[in-house]
Amino acid sequence: MASATLAAIGIGTALPVMAVNAQSGKPQSNLVEKVAKKFNLKSADVQQVFDENRQERMAQHEQEQKDQIQSLVTAGKLNQAQADKLTAKFAELKAEHEANHQYMDSLTAEEHHAKRQANKAEFDKWANDNGIDLSLIKDLRKGGHRP
């Protein structure tokens, strides 16, 4: 399965492509370094704040996603088996995204866009194969990430 499907479906929002710092390879490194320099802080401390904030946003998004899936089951728009498959798929995509985010960060903007489009098509096919109406989950495909 394609490595950045999570980003393509928004499980971790698609962040704008940012310049990657050559030393660290992290997209936010330039910003972290600028904040650290401006306020005379250690880059590692600023990076920790960024990382903690990202984790908090991701946890909040995951909970909102679970709540939305459950509300679709309660409303009779998804059955429990579909909800379980969807929850498992999102967890799988999150793991793939985390394992492959450095690869995605290394792509040009055009390559990144093409990869996201291919991954979205792959997810859409999976949803259709599992009888999941894509219009029901469009809001689940947006969100904070962030892979």
Side-chain angles (χ1 to χ4, degrees):
M1 170 168 263
S3 64
T5 305
L6 186 62
I9 63 171
I11 307 307
T13 40
L15 292 175
V17 177
M18 294 185 269
V20 175
N21 180 287
Q23 276 185 315
S24 71
K26 291 187 176 183
Q28 293 180 340
S29 292
N30 289 334
L31 180 58
V32 167
E33 290 172 16
K34 287 179 182 179
V35 170
K37 185 176 179 179
K38 171 106 177 152
F39 297 103
N40 197 28
L41 302 168
K42 294 179 184 175
S43 291
D45 292 342
V46 175
Q47 184 64 56
Q48 182 179 352
V49 171
F50 273 69
D51 293 344
E52 289 170 359
N53 185 62
R54 180 177 178 270
Q55 291 300 320
E56 289 170 8
R57 286 190 342 258
M58 287 177 66
Q60 179 182 1
H61 173 70
E62 287 173 23
Q63 186 58 53
E64 290 170 356
Q65 201 173 51
K66 288 177 185 177
D67 293 346
Q68 289 174 348
I69 290 171
Q70 187 55 49
S71 72
L72 290 170
V73 171
T74 301
K77 295 179 179 182
L78 286 179
N79 63 43
Q80 190 60 52
Q82 290 171 315
D84 293 343
K85 285 180 183 179
L86 193 55
T87 300
K89 186 65 164 180
F90 285 158
E92 173 190 327
L93 296 174
K94 178 186 176 203
E96 282 184 22
H97 177 76
E98 289 174 356
N100 296 302
H101 75 278
Q102 287 182 336
Y103 162 73
M104 290 299 289
D105 289 345
S106 72
L107 299 178
T108 65
E110 294 81 17
E111 292 169 330
H112 192 269
H113 177 74
K115 189 75 164 165
R116 288 184 59 207
Q117 292 301 314
N119 292 336
K120 180 187 178 305
E122 185 177 330
F123 177 82
D124 290 354
K125 181 184 180 321
W126 174 88
N128 286 326
D129 290 349
N130 285 283
I132 297 171
D133 181 353
L134 291 169
S135 68
L136 295 175
I137 63 171
K138 67 180 179 176
D139 290 337
L140 296 175
R141 295 163 39 142
K142 300 172 186 172
H145 133 182
R146 215 33 186 160

